[in-house]
Amino acid sequence: MASKDKNYLTIQEVAKKLEERHFDITERTVYRYVQKGKIRAIKIGGWRIEKKDFEKFLEESSNTKK
């Protein structure tokens, strides 16, 4: 199920994007990250993650600087 708002991603979309980047992270793991506050999200009929928050998560999870 895709997000209707293009500024937000579902947990499924985040997991797919991580898989495309060769991370072995499941939807369940993304959900746990949301629950623990590692990825900022809001709940609107399901969890939604702003694209900017997803990018911030990737940046903070990296050991390299841009």
Side-chain angles (χ1 to χ4, degrees), residues 27-47:
E27 289 177 25
R28 181 72 182 144
T29 301
V30 174
Y31 177 77
R32 286 187 194 129
Y33 286 173
V34 167
Q35 292 296 312
K36 291 180 179 181
K38 288 185 172 185
I39 300 177
R40 189 173 167 197
I42 59 172
K43 193 166 189 179
I44 304 173
W47 288 105

Side-chain angles (χ1 to χ4, degrees), residues 6-65:
K6 295 182 187 218
N7 291 320
Y8 289 88
L9 302 167
T10 64
I11 284 179
Q12 295 81 8
E13 290 169 329
V14 168
K16 185 174 181 177
K17 285 185 177 291
L18 290 169
E19 182 182 325
E20 290 168 359
R21 294 175 186 227
H22 305 288
F23 290 99
D24 189 23
I25 296 178
T26 65
E27 289 177 25
R28 181 72 182 144
T29 301
V30 174
Y31 177 77
R32 286 187 194 129
Y33 286 173
V34 167
Q35 292 296 312
K36 291 180 179 181
K38 288 185 172 185
I39 300 177
R40 189 173 167 197
I42 59 172
K43 193 166 189 179
I44 304 173
W47 288 105
R48 300 290 186 260
I49 299 152
E50 268 193 272
K51 285 184 178 180
K52 68 178 180 78
D53 291 327
F54 174 63
E55 293 299 326
K56 183 177 178 185
F57 165 76
L58 289 176
E59 187 177 305
E60 290 174 352
S61 298
S62 174
N63 66 353
T64 61
K65 300 267 183 190

